[in-house]
Amino acid sequence: CWDEVTPDSAPQPLEAGIHVASCGDIGAIAGAEEEGDLYPLVEAITGARVHFHVFLPSYCWPSPNPGMYGRYLDLEKRSQFLHFHGSLPQRRLQEMLERCSIGIHVVDARLHLGADHPVIERRAVDAGTSHRFFSYLDAGIPVILHDGRFNRWLCLRYGVGAIADPGLAATPREWLDRFLADAGMRARVVHARRLFSVRRHAPRLIRFYERVSASGSSIFIQQVTPNCR
């Protein structure tokens, strides 16, 4: 987390109601098993009159792939609760996230339902989380995560979020109301943001790379070009 100084004035709230934020690519070709697909969950949440805000990365905006985002764009036309914001500069993105109620990082609707994914390996889901998790903490909002060992540990250890379960899709409004009823959640989020700050952890990362460099080892980095257009 950047853990930058919070402005003195509170962020301007959005219109009344619950506002869920999703950062990053959520598109998938309908029925494609190799892609993460959030559409069933987004449809359920917006159908419960809960706002869902999508902040796409720059490589998906301003021309989202119709094959991947066609269902979402059609839903946006039919629903006043789905909002596409496109790609925003980091400062503007954080300001928008601060105005939301919750951040969500669920890679695929099937995973939040507890089902096995035909392509995404469970060990990959168990082993890590996403930078989105830290973006939400930076904005001071709690997080909903897909089920995975590391994600469960984050929620249990720091108390900053919850693991999505079938109830989120079945009764979204009731599930989210219960989640937000935790009065101490926001304070724990701010505390975790400080624990995960770049200023605190950057020296450790630098020392790690210094040791790698001194050992003569080489690190191979593969550049991946997203196929989103």
Side-chain angles (χ1 to χ4, degrees):
C1 297
W2 295 111
D3 191 27
E4 295 182 340
V5 177
T6 304
D8 293 334
S9 58
Q12 184 68 28
L14 297 168
E15 62 183 281
I18 299 174
H19 293 262
V20 178
S22 175
C23 293
D25 184 11
I26 62 170
I29 299 173
E33 294 183 340
E34 71 276 9
E35 302 283 354
D37 187 8
L38 272 189
Y39 183 80
L41 185 57
V42 174
E43 187 177 39
I45 290 174
T46 55
R49 303 182 66 81
V50 172
H51 294 274
F52 197 96
H53 299 263
V54 182
F55 300 93
L56 289 176
S58 58
Y59 59 78
C60 289
W61 194 263
S63 301
N65 184 326
M68 298 176 70
Y69 281 95
R71 293 172 297 162
Y72 292 101
L73 297 174
D74 288 343
L75 180 60
E76 184 186 32
K77 294 175 182 177
R78 304 193 311 268
S79 172
Q80 60 180 312
F81 294 94
L82 179 58
H83 315 278
F84 274 89
H85 298 279
S87 178
L88 301 177
Q90 181 58 40
R91 172 64 68 180
R92 177 60 178 155
L93 173 61
Q94 181 165 336
E95 290 174 353
M96 287 297 297
L97 292 178
E98 289 175 353
R99 300 171 67 188
C100 292
S101 316
I102 304 165
I104 189 169
H105 172 53
V106 177
V107 296
D108 189 283
R110 285 166 286 193
L111 290 173
H112 97 273
L113 291 171
D116 290 331
H117 194 281
V119 174
I120 300 175
E121 295 186 14
R122 171 55 60 179
R123 62 181 179 177
V125 175
D126 282 338
T129 189
S130 166
H131 62 87
R132 304 177 199 185
F133 170 77
F134 301 102
S135 295
Y136 299 141
L137 294 189
D138 256 333
I141 58 176
V143 187
I144 298 171
L145 299 170
H146 59 258
D147 190 18
R149 292 179 63 186
F150 187 60
N151 281 344
R152 289 198 302 271
W153 181 83
L154 287 171
C155 291
L156 180 64
R157 173 65 178 82
Y158 298 102
V160 295
I163 297 299
D165 59 42
L168 178 56
T171 55
R173 188 59 183 249
E174 292 79 358
W175 197 100
L176 294 169
D177 281 338
R178 288 194 301 271
F179 176 66
L180 292 172
D182 185 344
M185 182 80 74
R186 291 274 182 164
R188 295 195 297 272
V189 167
V190 172
H191 178 66
R193 180 176 67 192
R194 293 169 182 160
L195 290 177
F196 290 126
S197 72
V198 170
R199 293 178 185 87
R200 181 175 181 180
H201 292 281
R204 296 175 57 194
L205 183 61
I206 292 171
R207 288 195 297 271
F208 167 76
Y209 281 114
E210 286 174 343
R211 290 197 300 271
V212 171
S213 177
S215 70
S217 301
S218 61
I219 300 177
F220 176 74
I221 301 176
Q222 181 179 5
Q223 183 175 359
V224 178
T225 303
N227 180 21
C228 192
R229 293 192 181 277

